[in-house]
Amino acid sequence: TFINMIDVRQRAVLAEVEFIGLKLQDRFGCGCPYLSLSKCDYSHDRENDNGRLLSASWCLTVITDVDFQIIRQQYKWEEIRIITMFHARYGYLPRSFRDLIKDYFERKTSLKGVEGREEDYRHSKELINALYGMSAQDPCKLTLLYQDDDFIEDTSQSREEVLQHYYKRAFMPYTYGVWCTAWARWELQQMIDLTGKGFVYTDTDSVKFVGEVDFEKYNDRVRRQSLRSGSYAYDPKGNIHYMGVAEYEGEYQEFKTLGAKKYVARDASGKLGITIAGVSKKLGGIELEKAGGVDAFKEGFTFFEAGGLEAVYNDKPPEHYYIRPDGAGPVPVTSNLYLGPSTYTLGLTAEYRRLLEFQFLDIPII
């Protein structure tokens, strides 16, 4: 029934599934395993690559029909059990919502590169991001109560009660965000598959690879879809831009990654840039360049100048602790937040290091 709903009836399906004896079909040919460990409720005897599941003797997760299309291309299993399943007909998002997305896209495209309109351009980009964000945010938000000089979690309502309250007041279904995310990830997977053995790294909406890859057939399909839906706009120079096409961003002279959201790249002009959560892109590139460039980007390297700020919460400072400014009397210090310079040291998770060193294989490293 599960397969029939997806392949024959082409329904939108949401299911809680249990995989027994799960593993990749091609362990070395799949550079980006699809199943995320963080989205698995339970798993046993597992191996993961940067939080992506390589294998598991048993795994319980929730997937959509779109997810399953990718999973069965990448993985094989001894058995699959459907614990719970829901299905519905596919349909368009409300016209008013679609029109709003296209309107913001047109504004952003028409303002890009226009001198004096930088703020308007940035605002339009933020509005497009907000349209997705409001559809995909967690409806069960943690509520904190301040009692007796401390913050405690509000447990007066169960998660089910919070959900029921959300259902009664939500202005748009959470399913919009679920399937929007799933189909966006499906499109990204098509790009990953095109790069084949040359795949190196992927982010939310980009793919990095070595060699030559022809995206023209992919872009032809996307352009036709955009024309049919009216999802295109013109820039100030009169050039047409389509939603979802793969755009060429140039080449890197050097590229190195130590895991998800942690990489350094030298572009065609020779400029070094980094992407690390919590580290300044601009200052980080300069600091790394001084230390030796891409070769210095390795486990144990510490960013001092680009480490950003560290927040220290002093909710209960010691009694009778005072600061005495020059010329002033004692000033009592109450609860406060201290922002001070921080550092960031590059590291690898134990599992990722194990993969890189091929310790899980009974073959020599060549």
Side-chain angles (χ1 to χ4, degrees):
T1 303
F2 175 69
I3 302 296
N4 180 268
M5 282 290 177
I6 295 174
D7 291 346
V8 180
R9 300 185 62 182
Q10 297 184 341
R11 304 277 283 187
V13 176
L14 182 70
E16 184 180 28
V17 300
E18 185 180 65
F19 290 105
I20 309 297
L22 180 76
K23 60 183 177 181
L24 287 172
Q25 295 186 30
D26 184 354
R27 190 181 183 98
F28 299 101
C30 181
C32 186
Y34 184 75
L35 280 170
S36 176
L37 189 62
S38 65
K39 300 298 175 61
C40 296
D41 290 332
Y42 302 99
S43 58
H44 291 312
D45 300 326
R46 62 178 183 251
E47 288 184 299
N48 79 86
D49 176 358
N50 263 293
R52 296 287 175 170
L53 210 56
L54 295 171
S55 65
S57 62
W58 178 77
C59 170
L60 180 68
T61 187
V62 176
I63 61 174
T64 68
D65 56 300
V66 187
D67 298 321
F68 184 71
Q69 298 282 17
I70 301 174
I71 291 169
R72 66 178 173 184
Q73 290 177 8
Q74 291 189 356
Y75 295 87
K76 56 185 176 182
W77 49 83
E78 297 172 8
E79 185 180 355
I80 180 174
R81 299 170 185 166
I82 310 304
I83 309 301
T84 310
M85 183 178 74
F86 303 88
H87 61 89
R89 292 188 300 272
Y90 265 106
Y92 286 102
L93 293 172
R95 180 178 293 277
S96 57
F97 190 44
R98 285 180 281 147
D99 288 343
L100 191 60
I101 294 171
K102 289 187 283 188
D103 179 48
Y104 288 155
F105 179 69
E106 290 173 2
R107 290 192 206 178
K108 178 184 77 74
T109 306
S110 64
L111 292 171
K112 187 173 183 178
V114 177
E115 189 175 350
R117 301 294 300 276
E118 293 82 6
E119 184 65 22
D120 294 330
Y121 170 73
R122 183 183 63 80
H123 187 54
S124 296
K125 287 186 64 176
E126 290 174 346
L127 287 173
I128 291 178
N129 291 339
L131 289 177
Y132 169 73
M134 69 182 186
S135 70
Q137 59 182 328
D138 187 352
C140 292
K141 293 183 174 62
L142 176 67
T143 300
L144 296 176
L145 301 176
Y146 185 69
Q147 294 181 354
D148 301 325
D149 294 329
D150 200 2
F151 289 96
I152 62 172
E153 182 179 348
D154 182 8
T155 57
S156 60
Q157 286 186 311
S158 68
R159 186 175 178 83
E160 182 60 32
E161 289 174 326
V162 174
L163 269 175
Q164 291 303 321
H165 179 68
Y166 166 80
Y167 292 150
K168 293 177 182 179
R169 61 190 290 271
F171 69 96
M172 65 189 305
Y174 184 67
T175 47
Y176 289 0
V178 173
W179 265 267
C180 175
T181 304
W183 280 111
R185 184 57 181 81
W186 186 88
E187 289 291 350
L188 180 64
Q189 188 63 49
Q190 308 315 299
M191 296 172 62
I192 293 172
D193 293 343
L194 281 173
T195 65
K197 299 290 185 179
F199 172 80
V200 173
Y201 184 89
T202 186
D203 218 325
T204 308
D205 59 354
S206 66
V207 177
K208 305 182 192 304
F209 56 92
V210 294
E212 296 291 332
V213 178
D214 186 3
F215 286 95
E216 195 53 39
K217 185 176 181 180
Y218 173 87
N219 281 340
D220 280 343
R221 173 180 63 83
V222 174
R223 280 192 286 265
R224 288 195 300 270
Q225 291 175 336
S226 294
L227 285 170
R228 284 197 300 269
S229 63
S231 305
Y232 59 89
Y234 294 89
D235 65 21
K237 296 181 180 179
N239 299 315
I240 188 170
H241 295 265
Y242 304 91
M243 283 190 191
V245 297
E247 297 179 336
Y248 178 67
E249 293 185 343
E251 297 182 0
Y252 293 136
Q253 295 181 20
E254 297 176 278
F255 179 87
K256 186 177 183 180
T257 179
L258 294 179
K261 301 290 186 181
K262 194 184 301 181
Y263 64 84
V264 58
R266 189 182 301 282
D267 62 25
S269 67
K271 184 179 179 181
L272 196 66
I274 66 165
T275 295
I276 304 173
V279 177
S280 168
K281 286 179 176 287
K282 183 178 180 181
L283 293 178
I286 296 173
E287 186 173 355
L288 190 65
E289 191 74 275
K290 293 177 181 178
V294 174
D295 289 338
F297 189 80
K298 56 187 177 182
E299 190 176 13
F301 178 82
T302 299
F303 289 94
F304 292 96
E305 299 174 12
L309 294 176
E310 180 180 20
V312 178
Y313 291 85
N314 297 311
D315 293 325
K316 296 181 179 179
E319 289 186 43
H320 310 300
Y321 182 79
Y322 298 90
I323 293 177
R324 298 179 181 273
D326 292 342
V331 179
V333 177
T334 60
S335 58
N336 60 85
L337 169 64
Y338 165 73
L339 293 176
S342 181
T343 61
Y344 183 95
T345 301
L346 292 172
L348 293 173
T349 64
E351 290 175 312
Y352 192 41
R353 184 186 299 108
R354 179 167 167 263
L355 287 175
L356 293 176
E357 294 176 352
F358 289 84
Q359 291 180 1
F360 63 93
L361 293 174
D362 294 325
I363 60 174
I365 299 175
I366 300 176

